[in-house]
């Protein structure tokens, strides 16, 4: 039996496909996810988090192939850092080429991408059939949720579904690097 079947992701997938925002465990903290192509879901997510839309959000995928629409225009030399650091806690800022929704990209010309190694997030992206938004489950400036009870206390009914699971073993969120320069934006 696959992990996706064991987790019963059907309610989460239904919520995502109907424009909902879901909560799920990630490598270090609980996160909020939604369909990165859904206008209403993205706007709802920004309202829930009280997040400045100019900041953008991270996209996570189950494997590098799910990011081909973003990576196909990159020079081949730029693929190596991605391939050697994924899956894992490494988020890369890559040229967007106009591919992402404005609320995903924010006020930037790059988009933040990560191939997750968290089994629940990976199963969720596989079952969804593509990347999902992944952003910490908190209101802007507040500490992130560390368990499902925190999700309920912070967001109540604004979360369409909570995916059961444990956090990964990372002590801090992913490192964010600029692919073009190698500069670390968050360590």
């Amino acid at each position: 039996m696959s992990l996706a079947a064991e987790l019963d992701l059907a309610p989460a997938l239904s919520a995502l496909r109907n424009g909902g925002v879901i909560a799920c465990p990630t490598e270090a903290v609980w996160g909020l996810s939604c369909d990165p192509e859904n206008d209403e879901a993205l706007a709802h997510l920004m309202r829930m988090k009280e997040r400045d839309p100019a900041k953008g959000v991270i996209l996570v995928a189950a494997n590098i192939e799910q990011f081909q629409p973003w990576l196909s225009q990159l020079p081949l030399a730029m693929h190596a850092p991605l391939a050697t650091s994924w899956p894992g806690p490494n988020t890369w800022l890559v040229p967007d080429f106009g591919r992402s929704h404005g609320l995903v990209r924010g006020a930037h010309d790059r988009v933040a991408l990560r191939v997750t190694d968290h089994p629940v997030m990976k199963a969720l992206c596989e079952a969804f059939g593509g990347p999902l938004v992944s952003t910490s489950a908190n209101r802007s400036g507040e500490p992130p949720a560390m368990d499902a009870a925190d999700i309920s206390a912070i967001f109540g009914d604004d979360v369409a579904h909570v995916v059961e699971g444990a956090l990964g073993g990372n002590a801090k969120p992913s490192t964010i690097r600029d692919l073009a320069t190698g500069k670390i934006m968050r360590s």
Side-chain angles (χ1 to χ4, degrees):
M1 180 180 276
S2 72
L3 180 60
E6 289 177 36
L7 292 172
D8 185 19
L9 294 177
L13 294 171
S14 177
L16 289 167
R17 291 193 174 106
N18 287 311
V21 174
I22 65 168
C24 40
T26 70
E27 293 87 348
V29 299
W30 274 73
L32 298 174
S33 291
C34 69
D35 179 346
E37 305 286 334
N38 187 303
D39 295 340
E40 291 177 26
L42 289 163
H44 182 59
L45 175 74
M46 296 298 173
R47 285 191 305 272
M48 287 173 62
K49 285 184 59 81
E50 299 171 2
R51 184 174 178 88
D52 178 355
K55 289 185 174 184
V57 291
I58 294 172
L59 295 181
V60 296
N63 53 57
I64 198 167
E65 291 77 21
Q66 289 187 331
F67 283 139
Q68 283 313 304
W70 289 269
L71 304 181
S72 63
Q73 295 182 51
L74 284 179
L76 284 178
M78 294 182 94
H79 287 247
L82 304 175
T84 59
S85 69
W86 285 342
N90 300 292
T91 298
W92 290 93
L93 300 175
V94 303
D96 185 62
F97 302 112
R99 167 68 182 86
S100 300
H101 190 289
L103 291 175
V104 170
R105 189 180 57 253
H108 313 285
D109 61 355
R110 296 163 299 160
V111 62
L113 306 178
R114 179 174 78 249
V115 174
T116 184
D117 63 355
H118 189 279
V120 174
M121 277 306 303
K122 182 176 179 176
L124 192 56
C125 290
E126 285 173 347
F128 184 70
L132 290 168
V133 166
S134 181
T135 184
S136 57
N138 63 310
R139 303 231 191 261
S140 282
E142 298 293 322
M146 297 305 289
D147 57 39
D150 288 348
I151 298 295
S152 180
I154 297 168
F155 298 110
D157 292 339
D158 280 338
V159 172
H161 182 73
V162 176
V163 179
E164 295 299 323
L167 292 176
N170 296 3
K172 58 184 181 173
S174 65
T175 298
I176 300 177
R177 288 185 179 90
D178 186 297
L179 184 61
T181 66
K183 181 179 177 184
I184 296 175
M185 312 302 283
R186 176 178 82 187
S187 61

